[in-house]
Amino acid sequence: MIKTVETPRPGRPAFLGELFEVLTDRGRRLLGRRGTDTATEAPDLCELGEALLSRRGEASGVAIAQGLLAAFEDAGEEARLAFLQNLGDRFGPDPAAVRTALEAVQRDAGNIEAIEALHEIAEPRRQELFRRLNLAPGGTAALVRMREELLRHLKGNPALRRVDGDFAHLFASWFNRGFLVLRHIDWNTPASILEKIIRYEAVHAIQNWDDLRNRLQPTDRRCYGFFHPQLVDEPLIFVEVALTEEIPDNVAGLLDLDRQPIQAERASTAVFYSISNTQRGLAGVSFGNFLIKQVVEELKAELPNIRTFVTLSPVPGFAAWLARQRQDEMSELIDADQRLAFVLLDEPGWHKDAAKAESLRAPLMAAAATYFLRARDGKGRVVDPVARFHLGNGARLERLNFLGDVSANGLKQSHGLMVNYLYDLGRIEANHEAFAERSAIAASDNVRRALPASNA
Amino acid sequence: MIKTVETPRPGRPAFLGELFEVLTDRGRRLLGRRGTDTATEAPDLCELGEALLSRRGEASGVAIAQGLLAAFEDAGEEARLAFLQNLGDRFGPDPAAVRTALEAVQRDAGNIEAIEALHEIAEPRRQELFRRLNLAPGGTAALVRMREELLRHLKGNPALRRVDGDFAHLFASWFNRGFLVLRHIDWNTPASILEKIIRYEAVHAIQNWDDLRNRLQPTDRRCYGFFHPQLVDEPLIFVEVALTEEIPDNVAGLLDLDRQPIQAERASTAVFYSISNTQRGLAGVSFGNFLIKQVVEELKAELPNIRTFVTLSPVPGFAAWLARQRQDEMSELIDADQRLAFVLLDEPGWHKDAAKAESLRAPLMAAAATYFLRARDGKGRVVDPVARFHLGNGARLERLNFLGDVSANGLKQSHGLMVNYLYDLGRIEANHEAFAERSAIAASDNVRRALPASNA
Amino acid sequence: MIKTVETPRPGRPAFLGELFEVLTDRGRRLLGRRGTDTATEAPDLCELGEALLSRRGEASGVAIAQGLLAAFEDAGEEARLAFLQNLGDRFGPDPAAVRTALEAVQRDAGNIEAIEALHEIAEPRRQELFRRLNLAPGGTAALVRMREELLRHLKGNPALRRVDGDFAHLFASWFNRGFLVLRHIDWNTPASILEKIIRYEAVHAIQNWDDLRNRLQPTDRRCYGFFHPQLVDEPLIFVEVALTEEIPDNVAGLLDLDRQPIQAERASTAVFYSISNTQRGLAGVSFGNFLIKQVVEELKAELPNIRTFVTLSPVPGFAAWLARQRQDEMSELIDADQRLAFVLLDEPGWHKDAAKAESLRAPLMAAAATYFLRARDGKGRVVDPVARFHLGNGARLERLNFLGDVSANGLKQSHGLMVNYLYDLGRIEANHEAFAERSAIAASDNVRRALPASNA
Amino acid sequence: MIKTVETPRPGRPAFLGELFEVLTDRGRRLLGRRGTDTATEAPDLCELGEALLSRRGEASGVAIAQGLLAAFEDAGEEARLAFLQNLGDRFGPDPAAVRTALEAVQRDAGNIEAIEALHEIAEPRRQELFRRLNLAPGGTAALVRMREELLRHLKGNPALRRVDGDFAHLFASWFNRGFLVLRHIDWNTPASILEKIIRYEAVHAIQNWDDLRNRLQPTDRRCYGFFHPQLVDEPLIFVEVALTEEIPDNVAGLLDLDRQPIQAERASTAVFYSISNTQRGLAGVSFGNFLIKQVVEELKAELPNIRTFVTLSPVPGFAAWLARQRQDEMSELIDADQRLAFVLLDEPGWHKDAAKAESLRAPLMAAAATYFLRARDGKGRVVDPVARFHLGNGARLERLNFLGDVSANGLKQSHGLMVNYLYDLGRIEANHEAFAERSAIAASDNVRRALPASNA
């Protein structure tokens, strides 16, 4: 067998030990004389960064990278923020070099060599710094955490915004779809990974290990995630799938601990009922599109009887949007009858009263159709973020499900509304193009028919 | 267990089949109407490239990337070269956008935002093209092969040189040390990997599977390689190691099929006697430095008795250099006595004649010491490329071995000379710095003493 | 890679499907005409057994074996018991053949061939039946379950006792130590195995997944189990280990969720604080002895600083034994002072009252020493079953721990007493021999000194 | 992940080291005082055997088992044979105990308890000895080798025959089909296993690694083997499979290094062209039957287009049988015309002469049909051993292939004849029963029609 030799684990002991011994006195001084005397002073993070950049492939590269990352995690919140800001201010492009390169371009505007040289020289130095930090064992994970911290301070901080752009640029390259590995997650998966599924599930919280087992072990349940070779135990994104005999219209039935599983071979439909990103530090690097499509292919190969691939999705922006329309008396997106009916929504527990619920059904579904098909946000986009994701992937809005999620959260964010998006591999490309180029929304006739006459 | 779902394998069938079906008519037309009518015309590679760049994360991205890579491999040599040149000419930065960005910088020279925006805009479009091609299954390997082909056409082709620079830039990021996995290669390794060891061994050719087994299976032999998650069965670089009781002075004894192995626990010395890069397409991305150092750490942990880490290395530039000195009557790097003695080198078989060999020993070793310690090439560098690698890593030139390699190749390239470089973890950083900053060469007293008086 | 092809999973679908098709009409009839008509009658288990025995290596062997095992699990409790009894009565040795073989022996009493032939012929036919049932996928597990059921009916049922002997005989062969695999169980172990650790822990119940993690994940905790290739996800036995700086005297500290772990390298002592068998159907096949010794070797290799290997063990028979002594006024194993002191034991909560506890310490420890060193059961054996296990393994009774386990169960079974047994590899063989041959009990001086004068 | 802890490897170092330390003086004496003084005397194998049997589950069991096995392998040929004979003579049933048990049976002939007790007591003591030897690391493999040696001395040695019977009895239990694992062997399989495929191939010798690759790597080739958990790197039996578009009639085409592979999906036929047992020490434990049937199921699941499962098999007994008929002038199995034609067979190179070959075709095929359908050996069995195997499995003799193997060996053993046996899952049970109960041979009409009129 070909055995993988474990790389030295990140962390203090190795760092203070063996790796330290390869450093010269200069290197040791930078790292704060740790290990030699007790009254260590915190190392200067920027000085370490400069040291790392000043050397080429040398022996101490890994040690200094590891030292900087460890020192960053050891530092106080303030010192960490200062370092992040310094990344923006002090580790940008070298101004003098940029000036010279600019002059070369100005002398000969058509000179492609000069332009490309300018591009290279204008690369912020922090990009090379990040690449070198990535040499340290555990470096990738540490950089993802570093960006996660940066994102918390982003608002109104243009220097950080520049740093964030470089993180995003490098992460898009490092976390390229080509480097991700799709894995089936089930009840035989190591507990160390499963506890992360519990922790990261963002759509329908997992209550405990029994709830988790109920989503993984039955024959009609699947879970898949993307993993990256450098973040071994960390799913980057995962999707939970139910195999059913028809398109479900509510989530409680799917999550019921007492339901009777069906044989996977009998299922005609695969339902993506939860998809969760796990790493805030990877914001903007999109995996979901690829994940859903690869899982569709996996399931088609494993279970040829499955012909229908849909989501059962929340509508997180609906209730807030509806409240805005009700408040705005000029809004034409809801009509007077609807306004009248929606007063019932303000009565707690309306959904348990059959008569009240029934009288809300039509106006609410009409408003939902308007929300998806007519409403736009300030940037002219479809309002609902989940809709933007699935429609942008080329899916079709298939069905509106009245009272699909009557949990407290479901009622609060969408008055119980859930929807199904349909992934039809033969149409997703055309849907995508129409959406991207003409903002045309793929929706079933059923959904379109729900539009009120005033908005049809 | 967590099962890895196999990604769709690259190649024709899948491409012509399922993936094709996701494309719109426009996409199908680009890919040459394959699969629909028989008289297919070759797809236009550049047009495919533009199509790939024009879309954002859409359904057909993977299909078009796979289509372009397949079409490239299918195309004739000429068409491939034309595409590579087009990458340089047509897929550079967008001139109009660059112009606008330049004007913004000129308006306010100190504006860091403007400079960074210029950097982004001046990125050659082929970088993004390569990142998108990397989405295809097998994309990384295909891009490495593409660059391998490009390197063959590089001379005198400045457009290709620019393309090569972008390949090198991206590969350095993708093949970052942090993404490599060290693996132990032994007789239990899959044959599909072992045959590549046979094929790629560049220093001491492996004759056949018995020779290979002799380097892997005995208790006193080791082999390690770096692997990348995207090139699963391909070692990127590997090193062969012998565990011995003393520093060896010739290679024949190490490779002898009939030698008696020793118990690994009895060894005091680890000898790196062969290190081979395998992927020409990754030229310039250096792994060797990291590989040797990580193997040193592995062996120290596994076999604490091993204290000495050396190479047994060829001296590929020595014979040619010596010939130049002999030809150049003005050269002061060899003296008159040496010149006289070296006439014997022109006699075939001199090394088998004990008397002749003995009379050559001292002058040849003196010339060798001069070669390493005094000679410099046109760029002022140490002449020998292997020496530059190990000295650059911080190793010390430990010993000159007269008649260390009496194979035809060994006699031809270095008159049989081999050397040992010593890796002393406690010194490599200092050695490296001295070499990098002052071109100071770390060498043992023994080597220094071999210098002729005239060059000492 | 060498890929393991999954064997067909046990269970209905495959059985009714493909395997059924290989059967002839006769075979199908035996299996109850399943799959052909709806009014299936339950197959006759004994007839199936005879059918399985009557054939040699034939195509339908596996199908019939699988059919019989499935039919057994489908059958009602009564039918199952009837079959087990039939195994004793109808599947014994063949009487006619035995008679003939006996006569041959009687003709020539010294004829070794005749005796060995008699041995072969007198083998109960059910042994061969079990071997053939073991051909079915999942057969081993099904037979273990079958014996588990049998054990519940054993009392006063001599036919079953004979069947049980054959199970025990075959299982000892199939679950030979040579076929077991030691595995490290940790927080990266599949959840499907971990839930069995929770379920089977027999000594200190695991409350939930957090409690489990607390026993597996910290650096100073270990868990090992023996697995058999045929019962993939089932640990047969497992031991939980704590790495400590000294021999612990109570279990609460070990299990404390809030304790601070130590670095494994700092530990001097490995404490086996729980060892649990999991398969009642494997009763009498002993693994514990081998498990402890192999774990000792593993830990010595991994952590050379660990020199002391002890248990922290319950004393499940102590309280009952002490009650008998107190009831038996003639018993000389406790003296009058002790009797008087022990009245306090009848006061609930005595252990929380420092004064009461202190006044009980000496008499209780004296009684404990007597319990281990002097008391014997009806068969002349050491009374305590846990003591018999460890002393039989060659361990030494090292220390008595007053109030080592103040849980309700600990107080009930042993008035809180716990003990340490020491595994000293250099002494276990001698200890074992002395115990096996002379019932000599290895105990530390400390324990011996605790004996009351009257029993010393 | 659940990590398997490596069991201590068998062999000298561990044995002389750690395990030795657990022994008492008595144990050490038995093992020949190894490791203490230099003039070690060889340990007495029988005495070690008695020692191993005399103890119950004790600390030194593994050490003594390992010691005995090591001492056996160290001993000279003579000493080993002596030990094997002693196993027969001295390690049979205990005579005194047998006598007592016999008397009990005689007192009450119908007493089932007494008979079963007699069975247990009459078990040769070597069976328990083997079970205990199996405790040693590597014990199973050592016992298989021990029997391999025994088989070489079997002839005319009744004591050894008894020992062999016990080996066979235990091995049938230990190597039960339920404990075997089917694995796919391909070009990704570790070299350490592949070299055994080269070594053990018994039907069509593998010339070198290129030949091996040609049988494993192409898309239309498969190889499967059974492995046992205790003999990790040793396939017990393996079968080589070619996927083809029709039933092949000669082997040279299958093994041709230059042939063009077909896509596996296009194949309609799977051809088992070589099946090899590897362990002589497991003679009599049959795997082939199960292997073929499981591979048929594997292939059906993977490649539903494959409908025909046949062998391409040698006929190793044909030439010798034909020579006997020709010599026996009274034989009615060949007629006068055939006799005349067969004279050509004595001319070397007849098969290269088209005219000669053609004139032999009909008479030879007629004789072949007679050989399979009419001829019987002294025990009334089908003559050909390969035919007995496949017909016994339920296969049908499908086709006779004239000049199917014109290698020197093919001509010598069968005048070039090869045959196909067809595995039709729906018929194998009926075929098997007919063969086992009535010696009825399943053969195609084509084969039957080839019978000469005289034998039809």
Side-chain angles (χ1 to χ4, degrees), chain A residues 187-192 195 213, chain C residues 187-192 195 209 213:
Chain A
W187 192 238
N188 288 316
T189 297
S192 53
E195 68 173 343
R213 189 205 330 236
Chain C
W187 192 238
N188 289 315
T189 297
S192 53
E195 68 174 342
W209 287 82
R213 187 205 329 235

Side-chain angles (χ1 to χ4, degrees), chain D residues 334-345:
Chain D
I334 53 175
D335 64 24
D337 291 348
Q338 284 177 303
R339 282 179 192 278
L340 199 62
F342 291 157
V343 174
L344 274 175
L345 289 174

Side-chain angles (χ1 to χ4, degrees), chain C residues 206-283:
Chain C
I206 300 177
Q207 306 304 323
N208 51 38
W209 287 82
D210 283 338
D211 188 0
L212 176 69
R213 187 205 329 235
N214 187 46
R215 303 190 190 194
L216 299 182
Q217 198 178 34
T219 53
D220 57 357
R221 289 296 182 266
R222 294 286 188 281
C223 181
Y224 299 88
F226 270 144
F227 290 74
H228 188 272
Q230 269 310 92
L231 282 80
V232 186
D233 291 344
E234 290 281 348
L236 304 182
I237 187 172
F238 58 90
V239 62
E240 297 166 56
V241 187
L243 309 180
T244 62
E245 290 172 298
E246 48 191 21
I247 299 179
D249 61 7
N250 75 88
V251 75
L254 290 183
L255 300 182
D256 183 2
L257 287 173
D258 296 325
R259 69 183 187 78
Q260 199 58 32
I262 62 167
Q263 295 249 333
E265 290 73 17
R266 286 185 48 200
S268 63
T269 304
V271 185
F272 304 93
Y273 67 91
S274 176
I275 180 163
S276 302
N277 279 291
T278 68
Q279 306 295 317
R280 257 176 278 174
L282 292 178

Side-chain angles (χ1 to χ4, degrees), chain A residues 273-420:
Chain A
Y273 66 92
S274 176
I275 179 162
S276 302
N277 279 290
T278 66
Q279 305 294 317
R280 257 177 277 174
L282 292 178
V285 186
S286 69
F287 311 118
N289 179 358
F290 294 114
L291 178 61
I292 289 181
K293 282 162 197 165
Q294 191 167 345
V295 169
V296 168
E297 285 184 29
E298 285 304 316
L299 287 169
K300 280 175 73 172
E302 184 195 342
L303 297 166
N305 290 338
I306 296 186
R307 310 269 169 165
T308 305
F309 297 89
V310 295
T311 72
L312 179 61
S313 301
V315 191
F318 181 56
W321 171 85
L322 190 60
R324 285 195 303 273
Q325 307 315 313
R326 291 175 63 194
Q327 217 160 7
D328 173 5
E329 294 178 10
M330 308 298 292
S331 171
E332 297 181 347
L333 293 171
I334 52 175
D335 63 23
D337 290 350
Q338 285 177 302
R339 281 179 193 278
L340 198 62
F342 293 158
V343 173
L344 275 175
L345 290 174
D346 304 332
E347 298 184 13
W350 63 265
H351 65 286
K352 296 183 195 156
D353 178 322
K356 288 178 185 168
E358 210 41 51
S359 71
L360 269 165
R361 179 190 294 268
L364 206 55
M365 291 304 96
T370 304
Y371 172 70
F372 285 107
L373 299 175
R374 297 288 173 261
R376 292 295 181 270
D377 70 4
K379 300 176 181 165
R381 301 178 307 172
V382 167
V383 176
D384 199 78
V386 174
R388 284 201 302 269
F389 173 74
H390 290 297
L391 296 172
N393 288 344
R396 180 172 77 179
L397 180 61
E398 188 63 12
R399 200 169 72 188
L400 309 169
N401 299 305
F402 182 65
L403 294 185
D405 178 6
V406 295
S407 70
N409 184 49
L411 289 167
K412 188 176 157 216
Q413 72 181 6
S414 65
H415 302 303
L417 176 69
M418 297 198 83
V419 298
N420 306 111

